[in-house]
Amino acid sequence: MLDFPPWKTISLTLILVVGVVLSLPSLLPAKVMEYWPSFLPQETVNLGLDLAGGSHILLEADPADVQKEQTENMEGAVRNALANAEPEIRIGEISVENGALSFMVRDAKQVDAAREAILPLTSGAGLTGQRDWDIEVRDTTRFVLTPTGAGLDQAVEDAMNSAVEVVRRRIDELGTREPTIIRQGAERIVVQVPGLQDPEELKELLGRTAKLEFKLVDNQADPNETFAGRARIGSEVYPFVDGELSGQPNIAVRRLGGIKGDRLTGAQQGFDPQNPGQPVVNIQFDNQGAQTFAKLSTENTGRQFAIILDGEVISAPTFNEPILGGSAQISGGFTVETANQLAIQLRSGALPVELKVVEERTVGADLGAESIRAGVIAGLIGTAVVLLYMVLVYGRFGVYANIALVLNLFLILGIMALLNATLTLPGIAGFILTVGSAVDANVLINERIGEERRNGRRIIQAIEVGYREASRAIYDANVTNVIAGGLLFFFGSGPIKGFAIVLIVGIVTSVFTAVFITRMFVAGWLRRSRPKELRI
């Protein structure tokens, strides 16, 4: 027990000093932190939505959008597969009705070849044992491709998983700390951003799909039909945001053959060199996108094309020359703020499905402040009672346990700040729970030491055996708690994760302080005093 080498004392002391220094930025008032040296850690513990207040938004997707996208993708894939077959399989116009694709194979002898070409375009729908599309041949030459229910469910599931990641990337671009973004049911996403009191900016950022497309304008479309919003076969009509000024409310574009924004690799807000002061968004394509865009602009030089964002034509310039560099510029009457916001949305990727805000709430900071005040009062009262009890029952060993307990609280805060973790209301409960856990460990040690003394062991032997035997029980008990905390962290969400983080960190630090730090104190006392009696 007396064999406690200096290197171990220095190491433990250093860990405690680092922990205390890491925790102070979270404890000191802002005015004091103004004088905090810049070379020292600046990280603080983040407060969750229930403590700091903030914005809560519930987003909902429409599965019909997913089905529409699924149908369009399949139509393009079918055209490419049949056109690239050897020999080419010629078909009539593809029609779409209730999500099903239908087309005629011109040569009845190529029906089997067409089926062979199309079949690889379908795949299994998860573990359901079904394929995502049913293929039927009716009237000997007419193919009908119908999406299955399992296929649609899988498409919605994939789209929602992608949407969660896109939402997360967009919020991260705001520099917001520790947002909570979780799925709710099959078609909803909950977004909670602590500290954000005005949800309008968040709604603007998340409420836009940012689906960007470049499509050729259909110059052969009847202007009167386009004005009325009716498209001819092979084309589609989009509203034009500048329609009122130009007298052209709609623009007809070729339905296929364009390029989509999923080939983007970058997007930045900039200014139009031809019109200084006018904000624009500069975009860059990847290699495949650059090649497609170069081919599109080369083959259609002199023709007008439409830049379509979220179902609206925001600009309809002309290819004056081939664009070979893989870069382009989007203009559309932006302000610096809206251009920057669009750049963020494009960098984050388009949402695979449109999300509508169906619920929004702003949680005031007052509620969080009241929770913190109540939690602090409960914590102080509980800690004071525990400290008093330990001193009265265990004397000197109770004092050592109390010092370790206070150091434990500093360590928890310091590690949470280092991890940039978020403290939630359940986290405060976890915080207080670890206080009890730390005391429980010291109670085990002290009781075991007392028992060894009553069995006739000498002081040093009783302390040595007491720490060794009690430590085993402490490790066993807390390993199970850490496992439970880990499961809560991996399978929980939001405040549950906050509780799990505090619980795991608190268990580790409480074992450290209860077993190692108090032992360091006791070893120092034994070396200095060589006591003849032990009151415990």
Side-chain angles (χ1 to χ4, degrees), residues 436-519:
S437 176
V439 172
D440 183 55
N442 282 114
V443 168
L444 280 175
I445 293 171
N446 295 340
E447 289 295 331
R448 187 59 190 258
I449 293 173
E451 185 179 337
E452 296 299 328
R453 280 291 288 161
R454 287 190 290 277
N455 291 336
R457 289 187 185 273
R458 291 185 298 176
I459 292 177
I460 293 179
Q461 283 183 327
I463 294 175
E464 187 71 52
V465 174
Y467 266 95
R468 185 176 63 241
E469 297 301 323
S471 296
R472 292 175 183 168
I474 293 170
Y475 292 144
D476 291 344
N478 285 287
V479 163
T480 57
N481 288 336
V482 169
I483 292 173
L487 293 174
L488 284 175
F489 180 80
F490 285 110
F491 295 106
S493 60
I496 302 300
K497 279 196 171 184
F499 174 80
I501 290 174
V502 175
L503 184 65
I504 294 172
V505 173
I507 289 171
V508 173
T509 56
S510 66
V511 170
F512 171 73
T513 54
V515 175
F516 295 98
I517 301 303
T518 60
R519 186 168 179 163

Side-chain angles (χ1 to χ4, degrees), residues 166 268 271 298 322 333 377:
V166 172
Q268 305 85 30
F271 292 96
T298 301
I377 291 175

Side-chain angles (χ1 to χ4, degrees), residues 329-346:
Q329 189 179 80
I330 304 173
S331 59
F334 298 119
T335 64
V336 171
E337 183 181 14
T338 57
N340 189 54
Q341 201 169 65
L342 176 58
I344 290 175
Q345 292 165 338
L346 295 177

Side-chain angles (χ1 to χ4, degrees), residues 143-438:
F143 275 78
V144 178
L145 279 67
T146 308
T148 63
L152 182 57
D153 290 344
Q154 184 64 44
V156 172
E157 178 70 16
D158 293 343
M160 292 301 293
N161 288 336
S162 299
V164 168
E165 291 307 312
V166 172
V167 168
R168 191 183 307 282
R169 286 198 294 270
R170 289 188 184 183
I171 294 179
D172 286 346
E173 290 272 1
L174 288 177
T176 305
R177 289 180 174 183
E178 296 294 324
T180 298
I181 304 164
I182 55 175
R183 292 273 302 275
Q184 185 181 76
E187 299 159 7
R188 291 184 168 185
I189 300 173
V190 175
V191 179
Q192 295 180 338
V193 184
L196 184 66
Q197 297 301 322
D198 182 7
E200 287 305 317
E201 183 183 5
L202 188 62
K203 286 169 58 182
E204 286 293 323
L205 191 65
L206 301 182
R208 205 169 193 177
T209 309
K211 183 179 179 182
L212 182 67
E213 296 174 284
F214 297 82
K215 292 189 174 183
L216 287 174
V217 172
D218 184 5
N219 294 323
Q220 297 178 345
D222 185 334
N224 294 326
E225 293 291 309
T226 302
F227 187 90
R230 292 189 288 269
R232 68 191 187 107
I233 294 177
S235 296
E236 52 193 353
V237 173
Y238 286 98
F240 189 22
V241 292
D242 289 334
E244 293 185 3
L245 295 176
S246 63
Q248 190 179 6
N250 300 315
I251 288 184
V253 300
R254 300 297 298 174
R255 193 157 57 89
L256 301 176
I259 179 173
K260 294 185 177 181
D262 56 359
R263 309 310 311 184
L264 291 182
T265 58
Q268 305 85 30
Q269 182 266 320
F271 292 96
D272 187 353
Q274 306 297 326
N275 187 10
Q278 177 59 51
V280 296
V281 177
N282 297 313
I283 59 175
Q284 299 84 41
F285 291 101
D286 60 12
N287 288 335
Q288 185 177 343
Q291 291 175 7
T292 305
F293 198 62
K295 182 181 178 185
L296 186 70
S297 58
T298 301
E299 294 176 349
N300 297 282
T301 299
R303 289 190 59 182
Q304 196 180 16
F305 69 102
I307 301 175
I308 306 166
L309 180 67
D310 286 349
E312 286 187 328
V313 176
I314 59 174
S315 180
T318 301
F319 285 124
N320 293 319
E321 57 189 13
I323 302 174
L324 306 177
S327 299
Q329 189 179 80
I330 304 173
S331 59
F334 298 119
T335 64
V336 171
E337 183 181 14
T338 57
N340 189 54
Q341 201 169 65
L342 176 58
I344 290 175
Q345 292 165 338
L346 295 177
R347 281 200 302 271
S348 309
L351 285 167
V353 60
E354 183 180 357
L355 297 174
K356 295 179 180 176
V357 178
V358 295
E359 179 186 317
E360 63 174 280
R361 292 200 310 267
T362 301
V363 180
D366 293 342
L367 180 60
E370 178 62 26
S371 300
I372 294 175
R373 190 183 69 82
V376 168
I377 291 175
L380 288 176
I381 293 175
T383 303
V385 171
V386 169
L387 295 180
L388 182 62
Y389 174 82
M390 293 297 289
V391 172
L392 292 177
V393 175
Y394 299 110
R396 176 182 294 276
F397 282 72
V399 173
Y400 292 152
N402 289 344
I403 295 173
L405 180 63
V406 174
L407 291 172
N408 177 46
L409 298 179
F410 280 109
L411 287 179
I412 294 174
L413 277 178
I415 293 176
M416 289 185 65
L418 186 65
L419 297 176
N420 203 21
T422 299
L423 181 64
T424 61
L425 196 56
I428 291 180
F431 212 90
I432 297 174
L433 185 63
T434 58
V435 172
S437 176

